[in-house]
Amino acid sequence: MWAMNKLKIDWNKVADQRLNGLNGLDELRLKAYESSSIYKEKMLKKYHDQRIEKPEFAIGDFVLLFNSRLRFFPDKLKSKRAGPFLVTKVFSHGTVELENKEGAKFTVNGQRIKIYLGHAENVHEMVEAYHLDEV
């Protein structure tokens, strides 16, 4: 105590300065942690997005369309995809124009469809059916 009186140091003032310095360091550490976690999330998303293969569809392909309305039904074994549909037009921004067996055309997002991998003879029969409808 006598040393503090000799040096004219206020104990409360020094304690407050020390506490403020420690709080500042703690805030700096939390900001660094948050920024590093944000950086990690961005890099993980970038890494994941680079490895996603975007499907390319050609005119004349048969595709299956994801039916989002079936998720409300409790049928576990019911197929969530409808089709097959014929691809009639492919747009540059990912939209695809499809045609059903009745000849009705509609556009869908390319992420909702996938290539139909049915039996080869079924595909040839469907192509003939589509072309017979056009004539």
Side-chain angles (χ1 to χ4, degrees):
M1 283 304 233
W2 62 269
M4 288 178 32
N5 288 337
K6 182 108 176 154
L7 295 173
K8 297 181 182 175
I9 297 175
D10 184 17
W11 177 256
N12 293 331
K13 191 175 182 181
V14 171
D16 287 341
Q17 286 178 351
R18 178 72 173 167
L19 189 59
N20 288 338
L22 290 174
N23 286 339
L25 286 175
D26 194 34
E27 289 177 15
L28 187 64
R29 183 184 60 84
L30 287 174
K31 285 181 184 177
Y33 178 76
E34 288 174 2
S35 66
S36 69
S37 65
I38 290 170
Y39 173 77
K40 286 178 185 178
E41 287 177 9
K42 285 182 181 178
M43 292 307 293
L44 184 63
K45 183 180 181 336
K46 183 178 177 183
Y47 178 81
H48 180 265
D49 290 346
Q50 285 176 349
R51 277 145 183 78
I52 292 177
E53 292 181 16
K54 296 186 179 176
E56 296 180 8
F57 303 102
I59 296 174
D61 287 345
F62 281 93
V63 295
L64 297 175
L65 176 65
F66 180 72
N67 190 355
S68 59
R69 294 182 184 182
L70 288 176
R71 66 180 169 187
F72 298 116
F73 297 113
D75 299 336
K76 285 185 177 180
L77 301 177
K78 194 170 190 176
S79 176
K80 293 184 174 106
R81 299 206 176 257
F85 298 101
L86 180 67
V87 175
T88 57
K89 197 174 197 182
V90 179
F91 299 98
S92 61
H93 54 275
T95 305
V96 179
E97 185 178 83
L98 302 178
E99 180 181 343
N100 62 7
K101 287 185 180 180
E102 289 79 33
K105 294 183 179 182
F106 56 97
T107 57
V108 294
N109 187 346
Q111 294 177 348
R112 294 184 60 208
I113 59 177
K114 77 192 276 189
I115 297 289
Y116 175 67
L117 300 174
H119 298 290
E121 62 264 3
N122 291 345
V123 172
H124 293 300
E125 291 172 7
M126 283 187 273
V127 169
E128 291 173 8
Y130 277 100
H131 291 297
L132 289 177
D133 291 341
E134 292 177 0
V135 174

